[in-house]
């Protein structure tokens, strides 16, 4: 647990760990923004121990480039990612519940990186084909030319091949999450999930999705030609969340939304465990802001037996209420110092 | 640039326009040319002019050649029954290295890409269709690149050619021979699994 007053650098520590895991920050997509104002570069180094194997990880970011290092040697993204698995819980992630479908798709895609290899590459190919089809549509929209259907179909075929698999994998992953949502961890509320796609109403096996996606694309082609935009496909999908049968974003209280998001993370970590055999490292920024102590206590109690957890808090005293035996560090003006564990004296 | 005599800086500037040549390489090349004999320089400039004057697109297959039709198209030992369609002339060299393919070629000079303003009209397709109408061709092998644009181009060609009653095939995608499974990325491995064969 990291405690200290505001603006001392607590969140920075979590950010650093996150960068070691994914080569980028949860705070910004622009790598440059990680560099302290007035400085030329920044770097993170860390040693990860997994099943008694130690790995040296490092990331160096300058205004011009980013270097990922494994055992002090520069490596590519594919080799770097996967050495450290982290799930981060910060207030920014509440967008998954309150924000638009795009943020929920991003949540799924991010979580799937570690359990569904190839997903990111397929997304990239899909997005590329989507841009090409949209460009073609807007070309026909602007120019009064005879529409070459087989040309549009050529791009659709690519969308269908990649999109079908993206859709099927996402739907499968949501099913996996559903089966792993915590039972009564946060009271009696029931959280349910539903993956919604306009390309396939009830995503079944690959062939069914493919068939339905193809039908819908061609149904909507005339409308798409008018709008210059592809209206069907996994790039329009959404993950719906319901608490006790009601849409969470509209009807859930702030507290319910937070604990629901935590439930999602819980399921994500269980799904990860299923594939890799161990839990990812878990981080919560500003614990008090996220949950009331009763819920947090149960959640952390559950996690602490399974994986390493990093917390930040401004209120040092609240920690004892949350969990016993926590190692405490004080963060003050950018430096971290171990603090005596609360209650240690009693134990000794 | 004012540090150089005018003719040298002009040569450096021209060399710099070539791909892969930066300021330093251009300088090195320019000084190397300066040090060589007058005959060397003439041969180089003659060679450059010759490519521009003598190399043309083959009117049948669009390959770059100094004769029309090119030597692939007139070679009697090459079967007129198959045509391998590629994006660029240098792709022909890769396929020829195998010494296993004895059919004809066709160069599209690009792949479909609306983002870059390339549609069917920008590809060299007309003479391909004309060749098919001659009636000798039994199979078209599409060897466009295995990226999004190359795949879309392959699908489009198949839609265009199949109705003419010609067999259309796509080269296999998968693992490089002689390499190790552990070095394959997920997508390639996936494709290789899809394209598996019974033994």
């Amino acid at each position: 647990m990291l405690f200290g007053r505001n603006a001392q650098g607590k969140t920075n520590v979590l950010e650093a760990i996150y960068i070691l895991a994914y080569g980028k920050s949860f705070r910004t997509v622009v790598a440059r923004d990680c560099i302290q104002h007035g400085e030329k570069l920044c770097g993170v180094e860390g040693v990860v121990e997994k099943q008694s194997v130690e790995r040296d990880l490092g990331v160096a970011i300058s205004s011009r480039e980013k270097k990922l290092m494994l055992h002090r040697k520069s490596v590519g993204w594919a080799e770097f990612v996967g050495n450290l698995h982290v799930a981060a819980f910060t207030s920014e992630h509440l967008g998954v519940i309150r924000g638009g479908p795009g943020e929920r798709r991003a949540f799924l895609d991010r979580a799937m990186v570690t359990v569904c290899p190839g997903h990111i590459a397929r997304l990239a190919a899909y997005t590329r084909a989507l841009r090409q089809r949209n460009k073609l549509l807007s070309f026909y929209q602007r120019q009064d030319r005879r529409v070459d259907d087989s040309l549009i179909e050529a791009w659709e075929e690519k969308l269908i091949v990649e999109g079908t698999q993206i859709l099927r994998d996402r739907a499968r992953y949501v099913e996996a999450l559903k089966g792993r949502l915590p039972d009564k961890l946060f009271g009696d509320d029931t959280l349910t999930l539903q993956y919604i796609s306009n390309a396939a109403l009830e995503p079944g096996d690959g062939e069914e999705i493919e068939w339905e996606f193809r039908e819908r694309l061609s149904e909507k082609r005339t409308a798409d030609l008018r709008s210059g935009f592809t209206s069907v496909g996994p790039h329009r999908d959404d993950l719906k969340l319901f608490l006790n049968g009601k849409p969470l974003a509209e009807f859930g209280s702030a507290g319910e939304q937070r604990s629901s998001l935590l439930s999602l993370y819980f399921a994500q970590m269980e799904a990860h465990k299923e594939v890799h055999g161990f839990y990812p490292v878990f981080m919560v920024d500003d614990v008090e802001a996220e949950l009331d102590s009763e819920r947090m206590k149960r959640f952390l109690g559950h996690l602490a037996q399974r994986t390493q957890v990093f917390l930040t808090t401004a209120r040092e005293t609240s920690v004892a209420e949350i969990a016993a035996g926590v190692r405490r560090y004080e963060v003050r003006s950018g430096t971290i110092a171990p603090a005596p564990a609360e209650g240690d004296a009693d134990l000794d | 640039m004012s540090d150089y005599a005018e003719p040298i800086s002009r040569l450096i500037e021209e060399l710099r326009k070539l791909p892969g040549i930066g300021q330093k390489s251009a300088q090195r090349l320019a000084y190397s040319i300066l040090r060589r004999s007058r005959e060397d320089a003439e041969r180089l400039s003659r060679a450059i002019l010759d490519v521009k004057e003598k190399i043309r697109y083959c009117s049948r297959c669009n390959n770059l050649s100094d004769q029309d039709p090119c030597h692939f198209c007139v070679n009697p030992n090459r079967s007129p029954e198959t045509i391998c369609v590629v994006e660029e002339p240098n792709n022909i060299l890769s396929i020829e290295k195998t010494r296993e393919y004895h059919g004809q070629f066709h160069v599209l000079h690009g792949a479909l890409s609306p983002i870059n303003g390339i549609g069917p009209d920008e590809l060299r397709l007309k003479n391909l269709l004309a060749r098919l109408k001659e009636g000798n061709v039994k199979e078209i092998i599409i060897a466009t690149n295995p990226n999004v644009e190359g795949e879309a181009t392959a699908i489009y060609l198949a839609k265009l050619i199949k109705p003419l009653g010609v067999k259309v095939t796509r080269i296999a995608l998968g693992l490089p021979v002689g390499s190790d499974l552990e070095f394959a990325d997920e997508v390639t491995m996936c494709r290789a699994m899809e394209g598996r064969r019974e033994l």
Side-chain angles (χ1 to χ4, degrees):
Chain A
M1 187 209 68
L2 303 152
F3 68 92
R5 269 175 297 176
N6 285 331
Q8 301 296 308
K10 298 190 296 287
T11 308
N12 259 320
V13 181
L14 301 192
E15 192 180 3
I17 297 171
Y18 194 90
I19 290 175
L20 273 190
Y22 299 110
K24 62 183 180 186
S25 166
F26 53 68
R27 200 170 46 83
T28 166
V29 284
V30 186
R32 272 205 307 280
D33 290 352
C34 297
I35 304 170
Q36 194 178 347
H37 192 70
E39 295 292 327
K40 288 201 176 65
L41 41 92
C42 74
V44 188
E45 270 181 70
V47 179
V48 176
E49 192 191 311
K50 189 162 72 186
Q51 284 144 350
S52 75
V53 178
E54 285 195 1
R55 287 203 178 88
D56 249 309
L57 296 177
V59 177
I61 300 169
S62 76
S63 56
R64 268 201 255 139
E65 58 169 4
K66 179 162 75 181
K67 262 195 187 156
L68 305 173
M69 321 273 277
L70 175 61
H71 295 309
R72 297 178 188 277
K73 277 182 295 190
S74 184
V75 293
W77 196 79
E79 201 175 330
F80 183 81
V81 170
N83 289 300
L84 171 61
H85 295 291
V86 162
F89 191 88
T90 73
S91 52
E92 272 124 79
H93 290 106
L94 270 174
V96 171
I97 289 179
R98 294 181 192 160
E103 288 179 68
R104 281 181 288 282
R105 286 194 301 271
F107 165 78
L108 287 177
D109 294 337
R110 208 168 37 228
M112 285 166 71
V113 169
T114 54
V115 294
C116 186
H119 185 64
I120 295 299
R122 276 192 288 275
L123 274 178
Y126 179 85
T127 310
R128 179 84 188 161
L130 183 67
R131 279 183 60 209
Q132 294 279 23
R133 184 180 188 262
N134 286 345
K135 193 75 196 181
L136 185 63
L137 293 172
S138 68
F139 168 81
Y140 281 127
Q141 197 189 28
R142 279 181 285 110
Q143 310 235 345
D144 193 24
R145 288 251 226 137
R146 195 183 61 80
V147 174
D148 183 347
D149 275 306
S150 53
L151 184 57
I152 300 184
E153 279 166 18
W155 294 107
E156 284 175 3
E157 206 53 45
K158 200 63 197 146
L159 286 180
I160 291 164
V161 170
E162 306 293 344
T164 296
Q165 204 157 356
I166 291 169
L167 211 162
R168 192 195 60 192
D169 288 345
R170 281 205 197 131
R172 270 188 195 164
Y173 185 67
V174 170
E175 282 305 310
L177 289 182
K178 264 190 197 172
R180 292 174 179 79
L181 286 169
D183 191 27
K184 312 270 157 153
L185 192 61
F186 303 114
D188 293 328
D189 297 330
T190 326
L191 179 68
T192 43
L193 312 175
Q194 196 184 0
Y195 187 73
I196 307 270
S197 176
N198 67 2
L201 296 183
E202 280 175 37
D205 68 20
E207 266 173 49
E208 284 170 40
I209 296 174
E210 196 178 315
W211 183 84
E212 203 176 337
F213 189 11
R214 181 174 284 117
E215 285 288 297
R216 295 204 186 270
L217 268 175
S218 73
E219 266 170 36
K220 291 280 180 198
R221 198 179 298 151
T222 319
D224 285 357
L225 276 163
R226 234 175 288 130
S227 67
F229 177 77
T230 303
S231 58
V232 186
H235 63 291
R236 309 270 287 169
D237 290 356
D238 197 1
L239 170 68
K240 298 268 190 224
L241 299 121
F242 302 91
L243 194 67
N244 302 323
K246 287 185 184 155
L248 182 63
E250 292 142 61
F251 295 98
S253 70
E256 285 170 338
Q257 291 181 351
R258 284 174 200 278
S259 55
S260 298
L261 183 58
L262 215 45
S263 297
L264 266 187
Y265 272 81
F266 177 94
Q268 180 195 331
M269 291 172 75
E270 290 292 335
H272 181 281
K273 158 94 181 341
E274 199 85 353
V275 172
H276 294 281
F278 60 90
Y279 289 88
V281 168
F282 192 69
M283 314 195 291
V284 188
D285 192 25
D286 201 0
V287 178
E288 285 83 20
E290 296 305 338
L291 277 182
D292 60 64
S293 58
E294 192 48 41
R295 282 179 175 146
M296 188 52 88
K297 207 186 217 167
R298 273 192 256 162
F299 187 63
L300 293 179
H302 173 86
L303 278 180
Q305 298 158 17
R306 292 166 169 82
T307 184
Q308 188 176 17
V309 182
F310 290 89
L311 308 171
T312 73
T313 175
R315 276 176 52 217
E316 187 196 347
T317 47
S318 69
V319 183
E321 301 164 19
I322 293 173
V326 178
R327 270 203 265 173
R328 301 152 67 245
Y329 296 87
E330 186 172 4
V331 182
R332 192 184 286 169
S333 350
T335 56
I336 309 172
E342 215 167 307
D344 261 9
D346 300 343
L347 290 172
D348 294 340
Chain B
M1 256 331 123
S2 56
D3 295 346
Y4 300 104
E6 193 267 347
I8 302 179
S9 71
R10 209 148 43 92
L11 177 59
I12 292 176
E13 276 312 296
E14 289 304 323
L15 290 168
R16 268 183 74 177
K17 293 177 187 169
L18 299 172
I21 307 288
Q23 170 70 18
K24 286 220 173 98
S25 307
Q27 273 174 34
R28 238 186 25 246
L29 290 171
Y31 277 108
S32 163
I33 291 169
L34 259 181
R35 274 194 299 271
R36 281 159 199 272
S37 68
R38 188 189 163 81
E39 288 72 39
D40 276 345
E42 272 170 357
R43 263 199 297 277
L44 176 62
S45 58
R46 193 65 241 163
I48 292 172
L49 286 174
D50 273 356
V51 241
K52 288 312 285 180
E53 281 164 9
K54 294 183 180 158
I55 297 295
R56 295 274 173 275
Y57 291 126
C58 167
S59 57
R60 279 180 69 77
C61 73
N62 311 320
N63 186 20
L64 295 169
S65 172
D66 58 347
Q67 58 187 68
D68 186 16
C70 74
H71 67 281
F72 290 116
C73 289
V74 294
N75 187 341
N77 296 324
R78 301 192 78 101
S79 160
E81 292 186 350
T82 48
I83 298 179
C84 178
V85 180
V86 295
E87 288 182 22
E88 300 294 342
N90 53 7
N91 298 145
I92 291 183
L93 300 178
S94 315
I95 293 167
E96 271 306 284
K97 270 195 291 193
T98 67
R99 302 272 170 238
E100 289 292 327
Y101 177 68
H102 305 293
Q104 305 285 321
F105 287 103
H106 191 89
V107 187
L108 297 173
H109 289 277
L112 293 175
S113 176
I115 290 171
N116 299 315
I118 299 174
D121 293 348
E122 280 68 37
L123 299 181
R124 290 166 185 261
L125 286 172
K126 279 207 188 78
N127 47 357
L128 176 62
L129 297 177
R131 291 169 83 182
L132 294 178
K133 292 210 174 92
E134 288 168 13
N136 295 327
V137 183
K138 294 215 169 71
E139 180 180 356
I140 293 279
I141 303 169
I142 303 180
T144 50
N145 289 325
N147 53 29
V148 173
E149 287 74 19
E151 295 276 292
T153 307
I155 296 164
Y156 179 73
L157 286 179
K159 283 179 188 293
L160 205 63
I161 295 166
K162 267 188 186 163
L164 304 175
V166 178
K167 183 174 161 191
V168 181
T169 55
R170 176 90 171 105
I171 50 165
L173 308 173
L175 301 168
V177 176
S179 75
D180 201 303
L181 282 190
E182 70 174 304
F183 297 124
D185 63 277
E186 296 92 351
V187 180
T188 307
M189 198 64 218
C190 235
R191 287 293 180 80
M193 288 296 272
E194 281 165 16
R196 67 186 182 273
R197 284 193 311 207
E198 194 176 330
L199 292 174

